[in-house]
Amino acid sequence: MAEVTEEKVVAKVKEPKEPLFSKKNKKLLTDPLADNNPITIQVLGICSALAITAQLKPSIVMAISVIFVLGIGNVVISLMRNIIPSKIRIIVQLVVVAALVIVVDQVLKAFAYTLSKELSVFIGLIITNCIIMGRFEAFALGNGPWKSFLDGIGNAAGYGVLLIIVAFFRELLGSGTLFGAKVLGDPIEKTGLYAYGYENNGFMVLAPMALITVGIIIWIQRSRNKALIEDH
Amino acid sequence: MAINTDKNSYTIIFAVVMVLVVGTVLAGISSVLKPNITANKITEKQQNILFAMGIADTEDPNEFVPAEKAQELFDQYVGDEQYIITGNSAQKTTDAFNIEVKKENDKLKQDPNYERKMPLFIGKKDGEEFYVVPMRGNGLWDAIWGYVSLDKEFKTVKGAFFDHKGETPGLGANIKEAYFRDDFIGEHILDASGNYKGITVKKGNGDPKNVRKDDNAVDAMAGATITGDGVTAMVKKGIRMYQPYFETLKK
């Protein structure tokens, strides 16, 4: 959480006008994609990452929904940051997330019904997704709307990228499919790879393997970038 | 900063205004999208009923018929063969489609003398009749519901579809899966002497492949005892309510 306090301090210093995509702003957008990834580095939003990554399609929808909610939510909170009473700021944050999530839920129900059934409980889970409250509290409350927007999009995208990577391996190795298409052949008809005795790993569709997959990604990431390893 | 955001009065006013604004916006969105959502729910119900009759997507038998074809196929296979059953009499009306089992259950709870209306859909496919019974019950976390189709002797199940609101993914949520649902096909709801017994979701009934169709039991799902018991209760109660009417039909 060291970065969090730093960001708040930085925000309090009056900054000179800077271009929309200055180096610093670009960093807000790109940092969470890799070196400050919400899942692998900040360890936020793990619960939903475990739950929905058994298949690619729900992961992508979840990623898009979170980008929408976090991008807009961060802007709303940032616009209100000077008028929010600090005593009830967490409640205000919750109301903003809940309202946005209800909007997403209703829109999905109206225009993508099957998908909304598939996601059912997970849409509600966005409210409790720690990334959202985490970014509101740590960033949007102390920064302007444009910066907060970039931070929201960046963090949600970083979360989404990880979801998609994990879902890719879980769907491919667990069910032998990608987006439901049987890319490895048919396990019942024994075509493709299955003709040579390959079997799907049923473990991959269960939640623990998501955790292990995330763990492997963290391992790879930290061994490539030694600066990420904390000293103890 | 001009406003003192720490004052109690400010906090209260802020909270009230926020709730009013958010409430209005959400209510507005909900009423704009309502027609779409209702239409989707109707389509889903048609797909469910057709699915219980064994009418599914031509490419993937585990999927419903495509949403845009649901109305057409529903008209073709069920049409106006919809009945509202009260006790042992039936009334032919397409209102049956709009009856919600949940609301009828609630009315009965409030007034024990209420004569419940039970919807029944009679589908015809390849010259066979399917009596589709909607039902609703409780799983572990939330509601479960389903559609079970019976043959014209009201003795065996010809198809079933179950769904749930919030059962555990990978455990109770498996009532939606083909391996569980399809075990019901061909299963008897009457015992050997013709008395109503329903179907029990049973652990360790020594028949995991579900070869015996006359034992009134299907194999349970691993790790989902309470959801399974919920299905047992729902199927047993759901079909039993129709028994008086089925008896008169049999005569």
Side-chain angles (χ1 to χ4, degrees), chain B residues 44-223:
Chain B
E44 188 195 12
K45 193 167 176 180
Q46 291 173 337
Q47 287 172 321
N48 288 174
I49 293 171
L50 288 171
F51 198 83
M53 291 171 55
I55 301 164
D57 190 33
T58 40
E59 277 164 25
D60 184 353
N62 282 324
E63 294 285 333
F64 298 132
V65 293
E68 54 289 356
K69 277 170 80 184
Q71 182 71 51
E72 183 197 328
L73 290 169
F74 190 77
D75 289 342
Q76 182 188 336
Y77 288 107
V78 181
D80 55 359
E81 287 290 316
Q82 307 178 16
Y83 298 85
I84 294 180
I85 320 275
T86 35
N88 51 15
S89 63
Q91 185 200 356
K92 186 173 177 179
T93 163
T94 46
D95 274 348
F97 193 82
N98 302 324
I99 290 185
E100 288 175 37
V101 180
K102 180 178 188 285
K103 282 192 185 149
E104 294 298 309
N105 283 343
D106 291 346
K107 279 186 199 162
L108 197 66
K109 238 180 244 163
Q110 278 164 17
D111 173 14
N113 296 321
Y114 175 75
E115 205 167 0
R116 68 177 301 147
K117 293 175 176 161
M118 300 176 285
L120 177 70
F121 306 95
I122 306 178
K124 284 199 180 69
K125 188 182 85 170
D126 308 329
E128 282 180 82
E129 279 175 333
F130 293 77
Y131 289 79
V132 184
V133 175
M135 51 188 63
R136 196 177 171 93
N138 298 316
L140 171 60
W141 304 113
D142 213 321
I144 54 175
W145 58 90
Y147 298 86
V148 171
S149 66
L150 302 169
D151 66 344
K152 63 174 188 293
E153 278 117 37
F154 309 108
K155 195 176 157 200
T156 48
V157 172
K158 298 185 81 169
F161 175 74
F162 300 113
D163 205 344
H164 64 95
K165 195 169 173 199
E167 296 309 296
T168 320
L171 300 175
N174 287 348
I175 59 169
K176 269 185 94 164
E177 299 294 321
Y179 78 86
F180 176 71
R181 170 187 57 193
D182 289 350
D183 273 2
F184 282 80
I185 297 175
E187 200 66 44
H188 291 204
I189 57 167
L190 305 178
D191 66 7
S193 46
N195 298 318
Y196 178 71
K197 251 194 115 181
I199 295 172
T200 308
V201 178
K202 205 169 172 185
K203 275 199 275 188
N205 67 337
D207 184 20
K209 290 242 156 47
N210 201 37
V211 189
R212 291 205 315 273
K213 295 290 185 189
D214 54 359
D215 61 354
N216 308 103
V218 296
D219 199 37
M221 302 158 289

Side-chain angles (χ1 to χ4, degrees), chain A residues 2 5 8 14 26 28 31 40 46 71 76 86 90 103 105 110 115 134-135 177 179 186 196 199 201 223:
Chain A
T5 40
K8 273 195 166 165
K14 194 83 183 156
K26 258 194 218 146
L28 287 178
D31 249 15
T40 61
I46 290 281
V76 173
S86 56
I90 300 277
V103 172
D105 182 44
L115 209 59
R135 292 329 288 174
T177 58
F179 293 107
D186 195 313
Y196 304 100
E199 291 282 348
N201 185 351
S223 58

Side-chain angles (χ1 to χ4, degrees), chain B residues 226-248:
Chain B
I226 296 178
T227 312
D229 290 349
V231 173
T232 304
M234 172 174 81
V235 171
K236 203 168 267 181
K237 187 172 151 242
I239 302 178
R240 185 193 287 126
M241 295 188 304
Y242 290 80
Q243 285 302 315
Y245 175 66
F246 290 163
E247 290 300 326
T248 60

